[in-house]
Amino acid sequence: MNHLIALAAALSLALPSAAAPAATPSAARVVTEAGWTRAMPPGATVSAGYLRIRNTGPAADRFLSASSPASKSVELHETSMVDGDMQMRQVEQLELAPGAVVHLAPGGMHLMLIGLVRPLKVGEIVTVNLQFERAGRIKAQLRVRPIGATGP
C-alpha cells in the first residue's frame, strides 16, 4: 500500500497538473508593411531601411533590436535638424502603444544596415529581423529600389 502512495506522489510531481495555469501567450501583435531600401553605389557599406510598424494587439510593446543577414549590424536611427544641421542618432528603444503605427521613412526614423555583406541589387528582397519585447522576433522584408528612390 505504501508503494502505491509513493507511486501516486511521484506521478503527481512528474505530470503537469490540470489545475495549473497555462502559459499566457503574448497579447502584442506586431506587423510590418511596405518595407523598402535603396540600392547603393559601388563601395557603399551602409543602407537605410524604411517601413511601417503596426501594433495590432491590445497590449503595448517595445522594439528592442534588429539584425539582418545582409549586414553586420542593424540599428534604429532618427534624423533631426539641430541648429540648421541634419543629424542622426541611434534610438535604443521604441515604444509601441496598442494600435500605434510607426513610420520609418527618409528624413525621420529609419533602420541603418551597417556593414553590408554585398551590394544590394534592385528588385531583391532584404530580410530584417525585428526583436520586440512581447511579440518576439518579427521578419520584415525590404524591397530594394533604385539609387535615389523616394519610396515604394
Side-chain angles (χ1 to χ4, degrees), residues 1-79:
M1 182 72 153
N2 286 343
H3 68 286
L4 289 177
I5 294 172
L7 179 60
L11 284 175
S12 71
L13 293 174
L15 297 175
S17 168
T24 305
S26 171
R29 183 162 185 271
V30 175
V31 295
T32 63
E33 306 164 325
W36 66 284
T37 186
R38 294 183 184 107
M40 301 308 293
T45 60
V46 298
S47 186
Y50 311 106
L51 66 151
R52 280 190 305 272
I53 302 171
R54 186 182 305 269
N55 182 354
T56 62
D61 207 344
R62 181 183 325 196
F63 168 84
L64 300 175
S65 65
S67 64
S68 174
S71 63
K72 292 179 183 172
S73 65
V74 179
E75 296 176 356
L76 181 62
H77 281 211
E78 184 172 39
T79 305

Side-chain angles (χ1 to χ4, degrees), residues 37-41 44 47 119-123 143-149:
T37 186
R38 294 183 184 107
M40 301 308 293
S47 186
L120 303 180
K121 296 179 182 166
V122 174
R143 178 169 298 280
V144 180
R145 302 282 178 187
I147 293 173

Side-chain angles (χ1 to χ4, degrees), residues 105-117:
M109 205 172 303
H110 57 280
L111 296 172
M112 287 297 301
L113 287 80
I114 301 168
L116 294 172
V117 297

